[in-house]
Amino acid sequence: MQSKSFSARTLDANALKSFAHPLRLRIYELLDEHGPSTATRLAALLGQNTGATSYHLRELARHEMIEVVRGMGRGKEKYWRITPGGFTYGEPDPDPETARALGVLLDDLVRQRGAELARWREEEETAPEEWVRASGFGRRSLRLTPEETTGLREEVFEVLERYRALSDRREGESPALRDPSIGHVVIHFDVLPVGAGRETPDDVS
């Protein structure tokens, strides 16, 4: 079992701009959904040629978004996986090009979340009962200050980080020894103000 603990890293401007590419975003999403894969398999899933997927895999690896899985594959065949620990986007960058790249990434995140929620609503009817009981949808509407909202966000991220570390420790486990009850779980968490960018009645002339 892999005992090393991984920490989420903040993407720099170059990584943000490189990642904000439709095909790279889709490759990353497929690796997250299906686990380690080869350029050939990804090409078939994407309807692309292997040369294209190989190039974009190397670009993702150059920015440490993904890595080669040691011990998998035959000969020159490479299996790629998402680098354990995950990443964060960091604070908004004043550079217009970097800001546009961040906008692309955030818009894709919204799209992916919607697709995952819709897919689960379809799969829920035929999913094992224990997973249906374990799943959950939640929404709360609160009255908080910016400081309280920040505290709430940080507390939730602390909990998510604890379970992410547990998940990462399983990366080195042999599939034959892995607990068969372990599944791929996605957690969505958003905290955002409602109407903070709108004009208030006092602003309207």
Side-chain angles (χ1 to χ4, degrees), residues 2 36 67-73 77-81 171-172:
Q2 194 166 325
E67 63 185 20
V68 174
V69 184
R70 304 301 175 189
M72 289 186 73
E77 185 181 51
K78 292 180 181 179
Y79 275 81
W80 298 88
R81 71 172 183 179
E171 286 293 326

Side-chain angles (χ1 to χ4, degrees), residues 1 6-7 18 28 88 90 108 115 118 124 139-140 150 156 176 199:
M1 178 183 295
F6 297 92
S7 298
S18 178
Y28 192 92
T88 64
D108 188 73
E124 191 175 7
R139 182 184 183 278
R140 300 292 184 274
T150 300
V156 172
E199 291 182 330

Side-chain angles (χ1 to χ4, degrees), residues 142-149 152 191:
L142 310 177
R143 298 291 185 268
L144 302 174
T145 66
E147 292 76 17
E148 290 165 342
T149 304
L152 166 65
V191 55

Side-chain angles (χ1 to χ4, degrees), residues 156-175:
V156 172
F157 280 147
E158 285 179 13
V159 174
L160 292 175
E161 178 66 15
R162 190 166 72 246
Y163 282 92
R164 182 205 56 75
L166 172 65
S167 174
D168 283 346
R169 287 196 296 272
R170 290 174 171 149
E171 286 293 326
E173 290 181 338
S174 167

Side-chain angles (χ1 to χ4, degrees), residues 93-113:
D93 194 295
D95 173 59
E97 187 178 354
T98 305
R100 284 193 295 272
L102 179 58
V104 169
L105 294 172
L106 293 176
D107 287 344
D108 188 73
L109 182 63
V110 172
R111 176 206 61 78
Q112 185 179 0
R113 287 182 178 181

